[in-house]
Amino acid sequence: MDQAPVPLVPESVPADIADWLSSDAERWRALRPGRWAHPIPTGLALVLASMAVLRLAPEDAYFCSGQGSCTPDWLATAMGALVYAIVYRGVRLLPLATAAVLPLVALWALFDPRTPIAAGISLTVAACYACLGCLHRLTAARRQRRLAEEVAGRGWHSLPEGLRTRPGDTGERPGCGIVMIAVAVLAFVLGPLGVTAWMDTETWQALAFFGTIIGSLSLAYYVRDRRRAAALRQGPVPVLRVLVREGGGGNDRRTYVFAADDIEGRRPLLSCYTRVALGESRIPVHNRLREAVLFGPPHPGGGLVLVSSDGQQAPRPCTEYDIGPARQEYPDSRPETPAPGVVPLSWGPGTGSRWCAVLTQGALMAFVVGDLTVIGGMSLGQRVFPALFILGSTLLIATQFSWRVTADSAGLWAVGVRRVRHIPWDEFSQVWLWGRGFRIDRVGEGARGAEIFGVVAPAWLSRRFRRRPEALRAVDGIRALQADPALRPTGHSAPADRGRPVGVALLVVNAALALALLLFG
């Protein structure tokens, strides 16, 4: 049976605050954006339209290839950098800034004389679609914020004393963005003037391109974080009583927010990265619900401040604040509990995961063979990046194909890239789920656990196929075996049943591919 939530300290609860109930949470969840506005289809539309522009435009129309005299299109360089920044991060994390920039991209694509008419129209349509998607997501967040304010009623209060001024680590700093924007401006000024004393025109264009990407993203992050922090600190904000949990979802580094009556913690609403306020401390209560007071209307992209118990025997209030924008969560399928028995338990890659690994490796091999026999023509500098990509993908492909965790009477056996690691039950500490993988910790001086990354599918993909990813099932099973030793298998697994790592063999193959590409391409 699950433990009861860690109770709140009574004196930390403001007067006249309402409980955020499951009925309110379902109304709030129903206001989420439509699927058509999801960042993936909008970003994909921009990528395809941009590829059409580059494909249909004349050679060296926008960017110099270094194979002859060329006059760069500096406006196209700026627009291309903005499109890259939008696709890379903007459409997903910076909807307001993206919605402001995309009309400029659409106007440029429509009226630029170097852009073919058909390709320009396709990019204009894609930019308008992505802009409407961002505006729709912002509108949905505004509706969710208003619903939370309605539920809060008269329960509006100022933040706790220590957080009424903005902490110094609530987000991005502007230094990097200012420097990179200055570099980009310098390149945009000196490049067209033909200043080649330090570098040629092609290098100036590359400097302007990447400086615009890094600088614009960095400054946009900074403005977003300042706005998020200021919205919480400019006066009284809605306050709601909720439940929170550190970890236990798709990322054990995040703090998840639940309705006050969701005592099983099955339907998370929001999650964000949090940090304990300066001068306070809290005993980590991993994967256990805590009663909390939420300052700020919950909505995606907003800021949150949480007040809960510090977990001490003589409990005191503990304040946490967000260090990144909140993200809406979607309920996952219910975790499975293994049944006690003799047969060892095992979790590993499914058929789809292995096919992805095989097809990716096959595509890399086909690219190298095609370049050596058919394509050719790349300079040594151009071949370096594909070679590094081939080497860098070895870890991910090997893990996708051969990861496995086996539980038997002797402990856990985890297949890594190079070896099978054994973690006895008496040395097993905990399993952490974060990012796209999980980590099994082992206690003892000099003891090393196991790290398996790149095996957790994105949440939207799991919901699409309506099945819980095998890596999450592994984490659920390991946690259940840790919590109840009676569930642990009593039989012993054979070495052949624990799986075999393929990382070393795959590294040899990919090193040979990269070397062949560099020497004979």
Side-chain angles (χ1 to χ4, degrees), residues 14 156-167 228-239 293-296 303-307 319-322:
W156 288 59
H157 299 269
S158 298
L159 294 185
E161 186 69 30
L163 288 178
R164 290 179 187 173
T165 58
R166 180 178 180 268
R228 188 181 75 247
L232 286 176
R233 291 163 176 83
Q234 62 186 3
V237 294
V239 181
V293 173
L294 169 66
F295 287 82
L304 303 175
V305 170
L306 299 167
V307 178
T319 306
E320 300 172 76
Y321 60 91
D322 64 276

PDB file of all heavy atoms in Angstrom, residues 14 156-167 228-239 293-296 303-307 319-322:
ATOM      1  N   PRO A  14      -1.819  29.548   3.878  1.00  0.00           N
ATOM      2  CA  PRO A  14      -2.519  30.844   3.947  1.00  0.00           C
ATOM      3  C   PRO A  14      -4.019  30.644   4.128  1.00  0.00           C
ATOM      4  O   PRO A  14      -4.580  29.572   3.864  1.00  0.00           O
ATOM      5  CB  PRO A  14      -2.194  31.493   2.603  1.00  0.00           C
ATOM      6  CG  PRO A  14      -1.019  30.733   2.068  1.00  0.00           C
ATOM      7  CD  PRO A  14      -1.139  29.358   2.606  1.00  0.00           C
ATOM      8  N   TRP A 156      -5.970  34.855  -2.922  1.00  0.00           N
ATOM      9  CA  TRP A 156      -4.841  35.506  -3.585  1.00  0.00           C
ATOM     10  C   TRP A 156      -3.891  36.027  -2.513  1.00  0.00           C
ATOM     11  O   TRP A 156      -4.309  36.736  -1.593  1.00  0.00           O
ATOM     12  CB  TRP A 156      -5.319  36.670  -4.459  1.00  0.00           C
ATOM     13  CG  TRP A 156      -6.025  36.238  -5.704  1.00  0.00           C
ATOM     14  CD1 TRP A 156      -7.154  35.481  -5.792  1.00  0.00           C
ATOM     15  CD2 TRP A 156      -5.665  36.551  -7.051  1.00  0.00           C
ATOM     16  NE1 TRP A 156      -7.523  35.286  -7.088  1.00  0.00           N
ATOM     17  CE2 TRP A 156      -6.623  35.941  -7.896  1.00  0.00           C
ATOM     18  CE3 TRP A 156      -4.641  37.283  -7.626  1.00  0.00           C
ATOM     19  CZ2 TRP A 156      -6.574  36.035  -9.281  1.00  0.00           C
ATOM     20  CZ3 TRP A 156      -4.593  37.385  -9.014  1.00  0.00           C
ATOM     21  CH2 TRP A 156      -5.545  36.768  -9.832  1.00  0.00           C
ATOM     22  N   HIS A 157      -2.610  35.694  -2.636  1.00  0.00           N
ATOM     23  CA  HIS A 157      -1.620  36.097  -1.640  1.00  0.00           C
ATOM     24  C   HIS A 157      -0.314  36.421  -2.335  1.00  0.00           C
ATOM     25  O   HIS A 157      -0.038  35.957  -3.447  1.00  0.00           O
ATOM     26  CB  HIS A 157      -1.394  34.986  -0.599  1.00  0.00           C
ATOM     27  CG  HIS A 157      -2.624  34.638   0.177  1.00  0.00           C
ATOM     28  ND1 HIS A 157      -2.970  35.244   1.361  1.00  0.00           N
ATOM     29  CD2 HIS A 157      -3.614  33.718  -0.068  1.00  0.00           C
ATOM     30  CE1 HIS A 157      -4.106  34.738   1.808  1.00  0.00           C
ATOM     31  NE2 HIS A 157      -4.512  33.804   0.962  1.00  0.00           N
ATOM     32  N   SER A 158       0.518  37.194  -1.653  1.00  0.00           N
ATOM     33  CA  SER A 158       1.865  37.468  -2.143  1.00  0.00           C
ATOM     34  C   SER A 158       2.771  36.280  -1.854  1.00  0.00           C
ATOM     35  O   SER A 158       2.467  35.431  -0.990  1.00  0.00           O
ATOM     36  CB  SER A 158       2.431  38.724  -1.473  1.00  0.00           C
ATOM     37  OG  SER A 158       1.651  39.853  -1.793  1.00  0.00           O
ATOM     38  N   LEU A 159       3.894  36.207  -2.558  1.00  0.00           N
ATOM     39  CA  LEU A 159       4.837  35.109  -2.358  1.00  0.00           C
ATOM     40  C   LEU A 159       5.432  35.161  -0.960  1.00  0.00           C
ATOM     41  O   LEU A 159       5.420  36.208  -0.294  1.00  0.00           O
ATOM     42  CB  LEU A 159       5.967  35.193  -3.392  1.00  0.00           C
ATOM     43  CG  LEU A 159       5.602  34.976  -4.859  1.00  0.00           C
ATOM     44  CD1 LEU A 159       6.868  34.968  -5.696  1.00  0.00           C
ATOM     45  CD2 LEU A 159       4.834  33.695  -5.060  1.00  0.00           C
ATOM     46  N   PRO A 160       5.975  34.013  -0.487  1.00  0.00           N
ATOM     47  CA  PRO A 160       6.689  34.033   0.795  1.00  0.00           C
ATOM     48  C   PRO A 160       7.787  35.088   0.795  1.00  0.00           C
ATOM     49  O   PRO A 160       8.356  35.441  -0.249  1.00  0.00           O
ATOM     50  CB  PRO A 160       7.262  32.616   0.892  1.00  0.00           C
ATOM     51  CG  PRO A 160       6.343  31.778   0.071  1.00  0.00           C
ATOM     52  CD  PRO A 160       5.880  32.663  -1.046  1.00  0.00           C
ATOM     53  N   GLU A 161       8.127  35.586   1.972  1.00  0.00           N
ATOM     54  CA  GLU A 161       9.018  36.735   2.130  1.00  0.00           C
ATOM     55  C   GLU A 161      10.323  36.577   1.368  1.00  0.00           C
ATOM     56  O   GLU A 161      10.798  37.485   0.699  1.00  0.00           O
ATOM     57  CB  GLU A 161       9.306  36.947   3.617  1.00  0.00           C
ATOM     58  CG  GLU A 161      10.107  38.201   3.922  1.00  0.00           C
ATOM     59  CD  GLU A 161       9.312  39.470   3.678  1.00  0.00           C
ATOM     60  OE1 GLU A 161       8.081  39.437   3.824  1.00  0.00           O
ATOM     61  OE2 GLU A 161       9.942  40.475   3.299  1.00  0.00           O
ATOM     62  N   GLY A 162      10.937  35.393   1.441  1.00  0.00           N
ATOM     63  CA  GLY A 162      12.257  35.203   0.849  1.00  0.00           C
ATOM     64  C   GLY A 162      12.268  35.173  -0.659  1.00  0.00           C
ATOM     65  O   GLY A 162      13.343  35.227  -1.267  1.00  0.00           O
ATOM     66  N   LEU A 163      11.089  35.079  -1.311  1.00  0.00           N
ATOM     67  CA  LEU A 163      11.044  34.954  -2.770  1.00  0.00           C
ATOM     68  C   LEU A 163      10.353  36.131  -3.446  1.00  0.00           C
ATOM     69  O   LEU A 163      10.037  36.051  -4.627  1.00  0.00           O
ATOM     70  CB  LEU A 163      10.334  33.653  -3.165  1.00  0.00           C
ATOM     71  CG  LEU A 163      11.110  32.370  -2.907  1.00  0.00           C
ATOM     72  CD1 LEU A 163      10.281  31.162  -3.303  1.00  0.00           C
ATOM     73  CD2 LEU A 163      12.416  32.361  -3.678  1.00  0.00           C
ATOM     74  N   ARG A 164      10.129  37.217  -2.690  1.00  0.00           N
ATOM     75  CA  ARG A 164       9.480  38.374  -3.311  1.00  0.00           C
ATOM     76  C   ARG A 164      10.436  39.137  -4.216  1.00  0.00           C
ATOM     77  O   ARG A 164      10.014  39.907  -5.068  1.00  0.00           O
ATOM     78  CB  ARG A 164       8.916  39.291  -2.231  1.00  0.00           C
ATOM     79  CG  ARG A 164       7.720  38.654  -1.527  1.00  0.00           C
ATOM     80  CD  ARG A 164       7.152  39.513  -0.434  1.00  0.00           C
ATOM     81  NE  ARG A 164       6.121  38.784   0.294  1.00  0.00           N
ATOM     82  CZ  ARG A 164       5.530  39.216   1.398  1.00  0.00           C
ATOM     83  NH1 ARG A 164       5.885  40.406   1.900  1.00  0.00           N
ATOM     84  NH2 ARG A 164       4.614  38.493   1.999  1.00  0.00           N
ATOM     85  N   THR A 165      11.719  38.953  -4.003  1.00  0.00           N
ATOM     86  CA  THR A 165      12.706  39.443  -4.962  1.00  0.00           C
ATOM     87  C   THR A 165      13.169  38.262  -5.796  1.00  0.00           C
ATOM     88  O   THR A 165      13.241  37.132  -5.310  1.00  0.00           O
ATOM     89  CB  THR A 165      13.909  40.077  -4.251  1.00  0.00           C
ATOM     90  OG1 THR A 165      14.503  39.112  -3.379  1.00  0.00           O
ATOM     91  CG2 THR A 165      13.464  41.282  -3.441  1.00  0.00           C
ATOM     92  N   ARG A 166      13.500  38.524  -7.043  1.00  0.00           N
ATOM     93  CA  ARG A 166      13.831  37.454  -7.977  1.00  0.00           C
ATOM     94  C   ARG A 166      15.165  36.808  -7.628  1.00  0.00           C
ATOM     95  O   ARG A 166      16.185  37.495  -7.546  1.00  0.00           O
ATOM     96  CB  ARG A 166      13.891  38.022  -9.400  1.00  0.00           C
ATOM     97  CG  ARG A 166      14.223  37.001 -10.471  1.00  0.00           C
ATOM     98  CD  ARG A 166      14.191  37.678 -11.832  1.00  0.00           C
ATOM     99  NE  ARG A 166      14.506  36.741 -12.888  1.00  0.00           N
ATOM    100  CZ  ARG A 166      15.729  36.552 -13.351  1.00  0.00           C
ATOM    101  NH1 ARG A 166      16.735  37.220 -12.846  1.00  0.00           N
ATOM    102  NH2 ARG A 166      15.952  35.694 -14.321  1.00  0.00           N
ATOM    103  N   PRO A 167      15.208  35.457  -7.390  1.00  0.00           N
ATOM    104  CA  PRO A 167      16.498  34.801  -7.172  1.00  0.00           C
ATOM    105  C   PRO A 167      17.384  34.928  -8.396  1.00  0.00           C
ATOM    106  O   PRO A 167      16.918  35.141  -9.520  1.00  0.00           O
ATOM    107  CB  PRO A 167      16.105  33.337  -6.913  1.00  0.00           C
ATOM    108  CG  PRO A 167      14.652  33.375  -6.559  1.00  0.00           C
ATOM    109  CD  PRO A 167      14.083  34.546  -7.298  1.00  0.00           C
ATOM    110  N   ARG A 228       8.490  35.445 -16.743  1.00  0.00           N
ATOM    111  CA  ARG A 228       7.883  34.418 -15.892  1.00  0.00           C
ATOM    112  C   ARG A 228       8.074  34.752 -14.410  1.00  0.00           C
ATOM    113  O   ARG A 228       7.153  34.616 -13.606  1.00  0.00           O
ATOM    114  CB  ARG A 228       8.519  33.059 -16.212  1.00  0.00           C
ATOM    115  CG  ARG A 228       7.832  31.897 -15.526  1.00  0.00           C
ATOM    116  CD  ARG A 228       8.509  30.590 -15.844  1.00  0.00           C
ATOM    117  NE  ARG A 228       9.761  30.440 -15.129  1.00  0.00           N
ATOM    118  CZ  ARG A 228      10.955  30.412 -15.690  1.00  0.00           C
ATOM    119  NH1 ARG A 228      11.057  30.543 -17.006  1.00  0.00           N
ATOM    120  NH2 ARG A 228      12.048  30.269 -14.973  1.00  0.00           N
ATOM    121  N   ALA A 229       9.283  35.190 -14.036  1.00  0.00           N
ATOM    122  CA  ALA A 229       9.551  35.531 -12.648  1.00  0.00           C
ATOM    123  C   ALA A 229       8.802  36.790 -12.235  1.00  0.00           C
ATOM    124  O   ALA A 229       8.269  36.869 -11.117  1.00  0.00           O
ATOM    125  CB  ALA A 229      11.059  35.712 -12.437  1.00  0.00           C
ATOM    126  N   ALA A 230       8.729  37.789 -13.115  1.00  0.00           N
ATOM    127  CA  ALA A 230       8.049  39.039 -12.771  1.00  0.00           C
ATOM    128  C   ALA A 230       6.556  38.836 -12.589  1.00  0.00           C
ATOM    129  O   ALA A 230       5.933  39.495 -11.750  1.00  0.00           O
ATOM    130  CB  ALA A 230       8.314  40.088 -13.852  1.00  0.00           C
ATOM    131  N   ALA A 231       5.952  37.926 -13.352  1.00  0.00           N
ATOM    132  CA  ALA A 231       4.514  37.683 -13.234  1.00  0.00           C
ATOM    133  C   ALA A 231       4.131  37.177 -11.851  1.00  0.00           C
ATOM    134  O   ALA A 231       3.020  37.424 -11.375  1.00  0.00           O
ATOM    135  CB  ALA A 231       4.067  36.683 -14.302  1.00  0.00           C
ATOM    136  N   LEU A 232       5.042  36.472 -11.182  1.00  0.00           N
ATOM    137  CA  LEU A 232       4.762  35.957  -9.843  1.00  0.00           C
ATOM    138  C   LEU A 232       5.046  36.978  -8.756  1.00  0.00           C
ATOM    139  O   LEU A 232       4.526  36.852  -7.643  1.00  0.00           O
ATOM    140  CB  LEU A 232       5.605  34.698  -9.578  1.00  0.00           C
ATOM    141  CG  LEU A 232       5.195  33.413 -10.274  1.00  0.00           C
ATOM    142  CD1 LEU A 232       6.198  32.309  -9.975  1.00  0.00           C
ATOM    143  CD2 LEU A 232       3.812  32.977  -9.819  1.00  0.00           C
ATOM    144  N   ARG A 233       5.874  37.970  -9.043  1.00  0.00           N
ATOM    145  CA  ARG A 233       6.371  38.854  -7.987  1.00  0.00           C
ATOM    146  C   ARG A 233       5.833  40.274  -8.052  1.00  0.00           C
ATOM    147  O   ARG A 233       6.255  41.126  -7.290  1.00  0.00           O
ATOM    148  CB  ARG A 233       7.910  38.877  -8.037  1.00  0.00           C
ATOM    149  CG  ARG A 233       8.501  37.557  -7.614  1.00  0.00           C
ATOM    150  CD  ARG A 233       9.942  37.382  -8.026  1.00  0.00           C
ATOM    151  NE  ARG A 233      10.477  36.125  -7.515  1.00  0.00           N
ATOM    152  CZ  ARG A 233      10.312  34.947  -8.109  1.00  0.00           C
ATOM    153  NH1 ARG A 233       9.638  34.884  -9.237  1.00  0.00           N
ATOM    154  NH2 ARG A 233      10.814  33.847  -7.582  1.00  0.00           N
ATOM    155  N   GLN A 234       4.914  40.538  -8.968  1.00  0.00           N
ATOM    156  CA  GLN A 234       4.409  41.897  -9.104  1.00  0.00           C
ATOM    157  C   GLN A 234       3.224  42.183  -8.191  1.00  0.00           C
ATOM    158  O   GLN A 234       2.743  43.315  -8.141  1.00  0.00           O
ATOM    159  CB  GLN A 234       4.021  42.158 -10.549  1.00  0.00           C
ATOM    160  CG  GLN A 234       2.903  41.272 -11.066  1.00  0.00           C
ATOM    161  CD  GLN A 234       2.646  41.471 -12.546  1.00  0.00           C
ATOM    162  OE1 GLN A 234       3.347  42.233 -13.203  1.00  0.00           O
ATOM    163  NE2 GLN A 234       1.639  40.779 -13.076  1.00  0.00           N
ATOM    164  N   GLY A 235       2.723  41.188  -7.474  1.00  0.00           N
ATOM    165  CA  GLY A 235       1.611  41.394  -6.557  1.00  0.00           C
ATOM    166  C   GLY A 235       1.021  40.078  -6.108  1.00  0.00           C
ATOM    167  O   GLY A 235       1.607  39.008  -6.331  1.00  0.00           O
ATOM    168  N   PRO A 236      -0.137  40.099  -5.449  1.00  0.00           N
ATOM    169  CA  PRO A 236      -0.790  38.849  -5.030  1.00  0.00           C
ATOM    170  C   PRO A 236      -1.106  37.945  -6.228  1.00  0.00           C
ATOM    171  O   PRO A 236      -1.456  38.424  -7.308  1.00  0.00           O
ATOM    172  CB  PRO A 236      -2.074  39.336  -4.345  1.00  0.00           C
ATOM    173  CG  PRO A 236      -1.791  40.747  -3.952  1.00  0.00           C
ATOM    174  CD  PRO A 236      -0.878  41.287  -5.011  1.00  0.00           C
ATOM    175  N   VAL A 237      -0.962  36.650  -6.026  1.00  0.00           N
ATOM    176  CA  VAL A 237      -1.229  35.668  -7.080  1.00  0.00           C
ATOM    177  C   VAL A 237      -2.187  34.604  -6.534  1.00  0.00           C
ATOM    178  O   VAL A 237      -2.318  34.447  -5.314  1.00  0.00           O
ATOM    179  CB  VAL A 237       0.085  34.991  -7.555  1.00  0.00           C
ATOM    180  CG1 VAL A 237       0.986  35.989  -8.240  1.00  0.00           C
ATOM    181  CG2 VAL A 237       0.810  34.331  -6.389  1.00  0.00           C
ATOM    182  N   PRO A 238      -2.888  33.887  -7.412  1.00  0.00           N
ATOM    183  CA  PRO A 238      -3.772  32.813  -6.936  1.00  0.00           C
ATOM    184  C   PRO A 238      -2.973  31.738  -6.190  1.00  0.00           C
ATOM    185  O   PRO A 238      -1.866  31.382  -6.585  1.00  0.00           O
ATOM    186  CB  PRO A 238      -4.372  32.248  -8.219  1.00  0.00           C
ATOM    187  CG  PRO A 238      -4.169  33.293  -9.246  1.00  0.00           C
ATOM    188  CD  PRO A 238      -2.932  34.030  -8.866  1.00  0.00           C
ATOM    189  N   VAL A 239      -3.556  31.233  -5.114  1.00  0.00           N
ATOM    190  CA  VAL A 239      -2.911  30.203  -4.299  1.00  0.00           C
ATOM    191  C   VAL A 239      -3.859  29.011  -4.206  1.00  0.00           C
ATOM    192  O   VAL A 239      -5.046  29.180  -3.905  1.00  0.00           O
ATOM    193  CB  VAL A 239      -2.565  30.732  -2.893  1.00  0.00           C
ATOM    194  CG1 VAL A 239      -1.871  29.652  -2.073  1.00  0.00           C
ATOM    195  CG2 VAL A 239      -1.678  31.963  -2.985  1.00  0.00           C
ATOM    196  N   VAL A 293       1.366  23.944  -1.029  1.00  0.00           N
ATOM    197  CA  VAL A 293       0.632  25.139  -1.423  1.00  0.00           C
ATOM    198  C   VAL A 293       1.289  25.680  -2.679  1.00  0.00           C
ATOM    199  O   VAL A 293       2.496  25.903  -2.713  1.00  0.00           O
ATOM    200  CB  VAL A 293       0.636  26.200  -0.300  1.00  0.00           C
ATOM    201  CG1 VAL A 293       0.008  27.490  -0.787  1.00  0.00           C
ATOM    202  CG2 VAL A 293      -0.108  25.679   0.916  1.00  0.00           C
ATOM    203  N   LEU A 294       0.493  25.884  -3.712  1.00  0.00           N
ATOM    204  CA  LEU A 294       0.989  26.332  -5.013  1.00  0.00           C
ATOM    205  C   LEU A 294       0.674  27.815  -5.200  1.00  0.00           C
ATOM    206  O   LEU A 294      -0.491  28.220  -5.185  1.00  0.00           O
ATOM    207  CB  LEU A 294       0.347  25.508  -6.126  1.00  0.00           C
ATOM    208  CG  LEU A 294       0.542  25.982  -7.564  1.00  0.00           C
ATOM    209  CD1 LEU A 294       1.995  25.878  -7.966  1.00  0.00           C
ATOM    210  CD2 LEU A 294      -0.325  25.176  -8.517  1.00  0.00           C
ATOM    211  N   PHE A 295       1.715  28.632  -5.368  1.00  0.00           N
ATOM    212  CA  PHE A 295       1.553  30.050  -5.664  1.00  0.00           C
ATOM    213  C   PHE A 295       1.686  30.245  -7.162  1.00  0.00           C
ATOM    214  O   PHE A 295       2.678  29.836  -7.771  1.00  0.00           O
ATOM    215  CB  PHE A 295       2.632  30.873  -4.942  1.00  0.00           C
ATOM    216  CG  PHE A 295       2.429  30.992  -3.457  1.00  0.00           C
ATOM    217  CD1 PHE A 295       2.837  29.970  -2.608  1.00  0.00           C
ATOM    218  CD2 PHE A 295       1.845  32.122  -2.910  1.00  0.00           C
ATOM    219  CE1 PHE A 295       2.669  30.074  -1.241  1.00  0.00           C
ATOM    220  CE2 PHE A 295       1.670  32.233  -1.538  1.00  0.00           C
ATOM    221  CZ  PHE A 295       2.073  31.214  -0.703  1.00  0.00           C
ATOM    222  N   GLY A 296       0.699  30.901  -7.751  1.00  0.00           N
ATOM    223  CA  GLY A 296       0.721  31.156  -9.184  1.00  0.00           C
ATOM    224  C   GLY A 296      -0.284  30.281  -9.906  1.00  0.00           C
ATOM    225  O   GLY A 296      -0.423  29.098  -9.583  1.00  0.00           O
ATOM    226  N   GLY A 303       5.288  30.266 -14.222  1.00  0.00           N
ATOM    227  CA  GLY A 303       6.170  30.053 -13.090  1.00  0.00           C
ATOM    228  C   GLY A 303       5.401  29.526 -11.891  1.00  0.00           C
ATOM    229  O   GLY A 303       4.201  29.774 -11.745  1.00  0.00           O
ATOM    230  N   LEU A 304       6.085  28.812 -11.026  1.00  0.00           N
ATOM    231  CA  LEU A 304       5.468  28.205  -9.853  1.00  0.00           C
ATOM    232  C   LEU A 304       6.348  28.410  -8.634  1.00  0.00           C
ATOM    233  O   LEU A 304       7.578  28.407  -8.728  1.00  0.00           O
ATOM    234  CB  LEU A 304       5.260  26.700 -10.053  1.00  0.00           C
ATOM    235  CG  LEU A 304       4.434  26.234 -11.255  1.00  0.00           C
ATOM    236  CD1 LEU A 304       4.453  24.713 -11.333  1.00  0.00           C
ATOM    237  CD2 LEU A 304       3.008  26.728 -11.147  1.00  0.00           C
ATOM    238  N   VAL A 305       5.710  28.581  -7.487  1.00  0.00           N
ATOM    239  CA  VAL A 305       6.384  28.550  -6.196  1.00  0.00           C
ATOM    240  C   VAL A 305       5.598  27.591  -5.315  1.00  0.00           C
ATOM    241  O   VAL A 305       4.364  27.687  -5.223  1.00  0.00           O
ATOM    242  CB  VAL A 305       6.458  29.946  -5.544  1.00  0.00           C
ATOM    243  CG1 VAL A 305       6.931  29.848  -4.103  1.00  0.00           C
ATOM    244  CG2 VAL A 305       7.401  30.847  -6.334  1.00  0.00           C
ATOM    245  N   LEU A 306       6.295  26.641  -4.693  1.00  0.00           N
ATOM    246  CA  LEU A 306       5.666  25.599  -3.881  1.00  0.00           C
ATOM    247  C   LEU A 306       6.140  25.715  -2.442  1.00  0.00           C
ATOM    248  O   LEU A 306       7.337  25.909  -2.197  1.00  0.00           O
ATOM    249  CB  LEU A 306       6.011  24.209  -4.425  1.00  0.00           C
ATOM    250  CG  LEU A 306       5.556  23.909  -5.853  1.00  0.00           C
ATOM    251  CD1 LEU A 306       6.229  22.646  -6.366  1.00  0.00           C
ATOM    252  CD2 LEU A 306       4.041  23.755  -5.905  1.00  0.00           C
ATOM    253  N   VAL A 307       5.207  25.574  -1.500  1.00  0.00           N
ATOM    254  CA  VAL A 307       5.536  25.528  -0.077  1.00  0.00           C
ATOM    255  C   VAL A 307       5.056  24.189   0.462  1.00  0.00           C
ATOM    256  O   VAL A 307       3.874  23.851   0.340  1.00  0.00           O
ATOM    257  CB  VAL A 307       4.873  26.683   0.696  1.00  0.00           C
ATOM    258  CG1 VAL A 307       5.186  26.573   2.185  1.00  0.00           C
ATOM    259  CG2 VAL A 307       5.359  28.023   0.165  1.00  0.00           C
ATOM    260  N   THR A 319      10.295  26.138   1.060  1.00  0.00           N
ATOM    261  CA  THR A 319       9.852  26.826  -0.149  1.00  0.00           C
ATOM    262  C   THR A 319      10.728  26.425  -1.326  1.00  0.00           C
ATOM    263  O   THR A 319      11.953  26.419  -1.218  1.00  0.00           O
ATOM    264  CB  THR A 319       9.909  28.353   0.043  1.00  0.00           C
ATOM    265  OG1 THR A 319       9.169  28.705   1.210  1.00  0.00           O
ATOM    266  CG2 THR A 319       9.314  29.065  -1.157  1.00  0.00           C
ATOM    267  N   GLU A 320      10.095  26.100  -2.444  1.00  0.00           N
ATOM    268  CA  GLU A 320      10.792  25.781  -3.683  1.00  0.00           C
ATOM    269  C   GLU A 320      10.286  26.696  -4.783  1.00  0.00           C
ATOM    270  O   GLU A 320       9.106  27.056  -4.810  1.00  0.00           O
ATOM    271  CB  GLU A 320      10.555  24.332  -4.096  1.00  0.00           C
ATOM    272  CG  GLU A 320      11.022  23.290  -3.100  1.00  0.00           C
ATOM    273  CD  GLU A 320      10.572  21.898  -3.505  1.00  0.00           C
ATOM    274  OE1 GLU A 320      11.163  21.326  -4.422  1.00  0.00           O
ATOM    275  OE2 GLU A 320       9.615  21.398  -2.890  1.00  0.00           O
ATOM    276  N   TYR A 321      11.166  27.069  -5.698  1.00  0.00           N
ATOM    277  CA  TYR A 321      10.772  27.897  -6.825  1.00  0.00           C
ATOM    278  C   TYR A 321      11.233  27.241  -8.119  1.00  0.00           C
ATOM    279  O   TYR A 321      12.157  26.429  -8.143  1.00  0.00           O
ATOM    280  CB  TYR A 321      11.348  29.309  -6.704  1.00  0.00           C
ATOM    281  CG  TYR A 321      12.849  29.377  -6.657  1.00  0.00           C
ATOM    282  CD1 TYR A 321      13.605  29.514  -7.812  1.00  0.00           C
ATOM    283  CD2 TYR A 321      13.525  29.293  -5.443  1.00  0.00           C
ATOM    284  CE1 TYR A 321      14.987  29.577  -7.773  1.00  0.00           C
ATOM    285  CE2 TYR A 321      14.908  29.351  -5.380  1.00  0.00           C
ATOM    286  CZ  TYR A 321      15.630  29.490  -6.545  1.00  0.00           C
ATOM    287  OH  TYR A 321      16.998  29.534  -6.504  1.00  0.00           O
ATOM    288  N   ASP A 322      10.573  27.595  -9.220  1.00  0.00           N
ATOM    289  CA  ASP A 322      10.894  26.993 -10.511  1.00  0.00           C
ATOM    290  C   ASP A 322      12.182  27.579 -11.060  1.00  0.00           C
ATOM    291  O   ASP A 322      12.489  28.749 -10.854  1.00  0.00           O
ATOM    292  CB  ASP A 322       9.762  27.240 -11.501  1.00  0.00           C
ATOM    293  CG  ASP A 322       9.583  28.720 -11.797  1.00  0.00           C
ATOM    294  OD1 ASP A 322       8.889  29.403 -11.018  1.00  0.00           O
ATOM    295  OD2 ASP A 322      10.166  29.204 -12.781  1.00  0.00           O
TER     296      ASP A 322
END
